[in-house]
Amino acid sequence: FTTSRGSTASDIRETPRDERATTIKVDHLVKTFPLIKGALLKRRVGSVYAVDDISFDVRAGETLSIVGESGSGKSTTLLEIMAMSHDTVGEIELDGKRLKTLSRAQRRAERRNIQMVFQDPMGALDPRFTVYDIIAEPLHTLGFPRDGIEARVNELMNLVGLDPAHIDRFPGAFSGGQRQRIGIARALATNPKVLALDEPVSALDVSIQAGVINLLAELQAKLELSYLLVAHDLSVVRHISDRVAVLYLGAIVEIGDVDAVFDESRHPYTQALLSAIPIPDPTVERSRSRVVLKGDLPSPTDNEPGCRFASRCPLFQTLPEQDRARCLHETPALHGGEGVDHLVACHFR
Ligand code: ADP
Ligand code: MG
């Protein structure tokens, strides 16, 4: 991959992190789904803790990636933020405003500041609408002046590398990569501060992924966007992120600067996750030891105190009895060194 990051005149990335605006802030976010049993008489037997008390913030011009196995709560986190509901458990601040304190009309106005890009560009784009319709739709919703819409759609198509001459074509006439560019143009239509991207390149051919990743990096520098990114491919995450949060069963087990988390990972789960990355250098690949996870993924329904990873944790296996008791009965809090952007939720790391 090559990116324009650093080569452009963008100063936002030269401003220290804590001097940049906080565009999105999540505090103690929880999202449960009812656990239903019974085929005929359905009854609620408990709750699935899809997101279990997570907190993070994202600054202007920065990418925070969320990684973790399937079912760890990545999509639910993004969707909970996008929902902008009054019933959110926990606090979400968008561009400095606490969403819960806003009226319905104010929340609708705030919606322009956060937009979502989905994994499957075909599923997300209505095949019966032209590119013009698709990109213009959020502008209509926003009450954008009618006579300015076509020029804005043209501008957005240029911005994402699409030919405005194709404005009247239908999504089916475009390649996968071009369709994802349409999805990105649509997301950018309202000039948002934050993009939530759920696996934005995983449905694309490997050969065209880099083009879309590089486009996202360019757009971020140019528009000072914040990205909240869910990505499966850890080499993509490493390439595009400033910070990374590792999610396990709905909780953040490690978070911080992407280089710190990748190069000096401390949580046994992060280490296992990273050990599954194929390393291109064959000498490194051969000498590398893989951590093999044993045990089943525990159910996200038992919300008892204790470390949720203990049942699969290689470190736990090596601990003496009284230390294990701590893992089993005391929930580890995120902790880290003073002034270092790297926190880990493990009693023994
Ligand atoms: P990820 O995106 O990391 O794969 P999800 O956020 O989709 O994970 O899911 C997290 C957990 O929440 C899983 O246990 C999943 O089964 C559950 N879940 C997600 N959406 C729903 C839903 N609409 N109803 C019930 N359970 C759900
Ligand atoms: Mg998902």
Side-chain angles (χ1 to χ4, degrees), residues 70-71 73-76 119 198-199 230:
S70 171
K74 305 180 298 294
S75 296
T76 306
Q119 173 177 4
D198 197 350
E199 304 265 10
V230 170

Side-chain angles (χ1 to χ4, degrees), residues 57-247:
D57 69 349
V58 188
R59 305 295 176 118
E62 170 181 278
T63 299
L64 173 70
S65 289
I66 304 178
V67 301
E69 284 163 291
S70 171
S72 56
K74 305 180 298 294
S75 296
T76 306
T77 301
L78 297 192
L79 293 173
E80 243 342 74
I81 294 168
M82 294 307 297
M84 292 193 163
S85 164
H86 254 167
D87 304 323
T88 301
V89 179
E91 287 290 345
I92 299 171
E93 269 178 40
L94 181 58
D95 196 25
K97 298 175 205 78
R98 279 174 65 196
L99 293 179
K100 271 189 198 168
T101 65
L102 302 182
S103 69
R104 191 182 285 263
Q106 285 170 322
R107 261 180 297 152
R108 198 162 40 233
E110 263 328 292
R111 215 165 264 290
R112 80 179 63 180
N113 274 327
I114 182 161
Q115 296 290 329
M116 189 140 178
V117 174
F118 297 92
Q119 173 177 4
D120 170 16
M122 205 52 206
L125 305 179
D126 192 321
R128 298 164 303 169
F129 291 147
T130 63
V131 177
Y132 173 84
D133 296 327
I134 290 166
I135 300 176
E137 202 243 358
L139 296 169
H140 288 295
T141 311
L142 192 69
F144 197 86
R146 292 206 152 256
D147 55 2
I149 289 185
E150 188 166 350
R152 176 70 177 144
V153 172
N154 273 291
E155 179 188 23
L156 287 159
M157 288 183 78
N158 277 321
L159 189 65
V160 300
L162 291 169
D163 183 352
H166 300 158
I167 197 166
D168 289 324
R169 295 194 181 176
F170 294 91
F174 294 89
S175 70
Q178 288 171 323
R179 285 199 287 263
Q180 193 53 296
R181 287 169 195 261
I182 299 170
I184 293 167
R186 177 187 157 93
L188 293 177
T190 61
N191 225 344
K193 297 220 159 63
V194 182
L195 286 190
L197 306 119
D198 197 350
E199 304 265 10
V201 297
S202 21
L204 304 178
D205 248 42
V206 175
S207 59
I208 52 171
Q209 287 187 0
V212 174
I213 295 285
N214 290 338
L215 171 68
L216 288 170
E218 275 164 37
L219 291 170
Q220 176 166 63
K222 199 182 286 182
L223 306 172
E224 303 188 357
L225 293 163
S226 295
Y227 291 159
L228 189 55
L229 175 82
V230 170
H232 188 77
D233 183 336
L234 294 177
S235 57
V236 167
V237 169
R238 173 113 215 208
H239 176 73
I240 198 175
S241 314
D242 299 285
R243 304 181 69 241
V244 60
V246 182
L247 218 53

